[in-house]
Amino acid sequence: MSRDAAGLPGTVELASDPAELAARAAGWVLGYAATVIAEGRRFHIALAGGHTPAALYDVLASAPARKTTDWLRWEFWWGDERACPPDDAGSNYRLAHDRLLRHLPLDRLHIHRMRGESPDLAAAAGDYAAELASHLAAGPGSAPRLDLVLLGLGTNGHTASLFPGQKVLDVTDRWVAPARADYAPFERLTLTLPTLNAAAGIAFIVAGADKGPALREVAAGTAVAARVRPARGELRWFLDTAAATSMGGAPGG
Ligand code: 6PG
C-alpha cells in the first residue's frame, strides 16, 4: 500500500475547504459507482454518519448528479448506526435520508437500514450481517464484500462506531456487532473491522483542524482508524486543508 507524504496509508486527495472536499469526494464516488455498474453489477455503498459527509450527500442529491446517475443500480448500507429510532435527530439513517435518499428515485428495497431502534442490538447485528451476506459475495476473510465504504474520523481516532479500547475491535468472526461509543448515544451498531477490510474500496472524508491529531495517529498506526486497511482494495483519504495542515504537513508537500 502506497504511503502519501503525510504518512497516511493509501491515496490522499486534498481540498481547499469543506465545500471542495464534498465536491471532490462526490465526483470520485460517482466515478467509482459508474465503473462498478459498467461491469454489469449493482453498486453497494456503506454510508458514513456524523456531520462531515452531509455536504457530500448534498452534492450527490443535487444536479447534475441527481439527474445523471443510474440510482436504481445503487444499494445503500450503513457503516454504523446509533441505538435510536430512524427519525431520531442522531440517527445516521436519518442524516442520509434527509440529505440524500429522499431526493433520489430509489427502490425502497435497495435501502438497507441498520435497526438501531431494536431492543436487542445483538439480534439486530446478526440480522444485518445476514442481510449483507445475502446480497454480497464473500470477500477476504469470508466477510461480505461491499463495493465502497465511506468513513469519517473522530478526534480520538475512531471510525464508524469502532472506539478505542472497545472489545468490538478484536472481533474477527462477525461482520456486524453492537458497540459502545465515548459519547451519547453510547449504544451503537457497527460494521466490524473484518467487514470494513473486506471492502473493495474505502474512502475517509475528513475536514477541520480538530482532526489533525487523529490523522497523525493514523499515520503513526496507533489510531483505531489505522486498523482500517482493505485486504484487497483501495484506500483513499479526502482531506481539507485545515485537517491536513493541522496534521503537521500538507500531504504531498
Ligand atoms: C458516527 C460516525 C462517526 C463519525 C466520526 C466523525 O456515527 O458518529 O460513524 O464515526 O464518522 O465521529 O464525525 P464528524 O464527521 O461529525 O466529525
Side-chain angles (χ1 to χ4, degrees):
M1 170 113 20
S2 68
R3 278 190 172 276
D4 185 84
L8 292 173
T11 305
V12 177
E13 290 206 31
L14 199 57
S16 56
D17 56 35
E20 185 192 337
L21 180 68
R24 288 182 68 130
W28 182 80
V29 170
L30 289 165
Y32 193 102
T35 302
V36 170
I37 292 167
E39 293 170 358
R41 294 189 293 116
R42 304 184 61 73
F43 175 60
H44 292 268
I45 181 173
L47 300 177
H51 299 94
T52 306
L56 162 57
Y57 300 157
D58 289 342
V59 174
L60 295 176
S62 307
R66 186 180 68 237
K67 297 179 179 178
T68 59
T69 302
D70 188 359
W71 295 112
L72 288 177
R73 300 191 58 75
W74 287 48
E75 298 208 24
F76 294 90
W77 304 83
W78 275 260
D80 71 324
E81 185 55 279
R82 287 85 180 277
C84 63
D87 60 354
D88 187 286
S91 163
N92 288 339
Y93 166 80
R94 174 156 179 200
L95 169 74
H97 172 267
D98 290 354
R99 306 292 283 266
L100 176 59
L101 304 179
R102 70 186 181 94
H103 303 289
L104 304 180
L106 296 176
D107 182 331
R108 302 288 307 160
L109 290 176
H110 298 156
I111 299 174
H112 306 279
R113 186 174 66 82
M114 284 184 171
R115 295 312 194 247
E117 72 278 15
S118 171
D120 183 344
L121 289 178
D127 292 346
Y128 205 71
E131 188 171 358
L132 281 163
S134 70
H135 285 77
L136 301 171
S142 303
R145 184 170 170 84
L146 287 153
D147 292 303
L148 182 61
V149 179
L150 299 182
L151 291 172
L153 179 68
T155 53
N156 66 354
H158 81 262
T159 191
S161 281
L162 300 169
F163 285 80
Q166 294 298 315
K167 290 180 182 174
V168 68
L169 297 178
D170 300 322
V171 168
T172 58
D173 58 354
R174 283 177 286 147
W175 315 139
V176 186
R180 185 164 177 80
D182 291 353
Y183 52 87
F186 293 99
E187 300 307 318
R188 308 285 185 97
L189 286 170
T190 189
L191 298 186
T192 58
L193 284 167
T195 308
L196 297 181
N197 289 335
I202 295 173
F204 280 91
I205 322 291
V206 185
D210 63 335
K211 299 295 175 73
L215 287 167
R216 273 202 301 277
E217 284 190 30
V218 173
T222 53
V224 166
R227 298 175 63 170
V228 176
R229 303 292 295 271
R232 188 163 35 88
E234 180 175 357
L235 176 59
R236 190 170 286 252
W237 295 82
F238 291 91
L239 311 181
D240 71 351
T241 303
T245 49
S246 68
M247 186 180 172

